Amino acid sequence: MPPKQQLSKAAKAAAAMAGGKKSKKKWSKNNHKDKAQHAVILDQEKLDRIMKEVPTYRYVSVSVLVDRLKIGGSMARVALRDLEKQGIIKPVSKHSKQAIYTRAVASE
């Protein structure tokens, strides 16, 4: 086997600089769910919509109001308590974590 050709200092430096240019591996694919933009302040338009639509729902809960009306959870809880006080909806099951209501007047 013939001896290796000795490289100059400049050639060695160029070879060292050429290596290691590969980018780092990305472990996450960056598929993030978009943050929901729900209303947190009750304005007249949201109140009118709650008073019109919620009495027609057969199943009413905080998660239903958040999903359908695009309001925050704390606002949905306040709205449900208010609707129950007015007699528009009646409780089916009340728990500290999840309250389930139904419309007060059953339609045939």
Side-chain angles (χ1 to χ4, degrees), residues 38-73:
H38 294 314
V40 292
I41 297 175
L42 187 63
D43 56 355
Q44 190 61 42
E45 178 218 339
K46 287 284 183 193
L47 181 64
D48 293 341
R49 193 162 169 218
I50 288 170
M51 297 304 265
K52 179 181 171 226
E53 293 181 15
V54 174
T56 64
Y57 297 163
R58 187 173 298 246
Y59 173 85
V60 184
S61 69
V62 172
S63 50
V64 168
L65 293 186
V66 167
D67 187 44
R68 292 186 187 174
L69 302 175
K70 303 293 183 233
I71 60 175

Side-chain angles (χ1 to χ4, degrees), residues 27-46:
W27 291 101
S28 68
K29 299 294 183 215
N30 295 334
N31 293 337
H32 297 293
K33 188 177 179 185
D34 291 333
K35 192 170 172 84
Q37 296 293 321
H38 294 314
V40 292
I41 297 175
L42 187 63
D43 56 355
Q44 190 61 42
E45 178 218 339
K46 287 284 183 193

Side-chain angles (χ1 to χ4, degrees), residues 3 9 13 23-24 26-27 29 43 52 57 59 64 69 81-83 85 97-98 108:
K9 279 189 175 183
S23 63
K24 286 181 127 182
K26 289 191 176 181
W27 291 101
K29 299 294 183 215
D43 56 355
K52 179 181 171 226
Y57 297 163
Y59 173 85
V64 168
L69 302 175
R81 282 195 297 266
D82 188 48
L83 290 171
K85 201 181 295 183
K97 306 291 184 222
Q98 181 77 18
E108 280 86 63

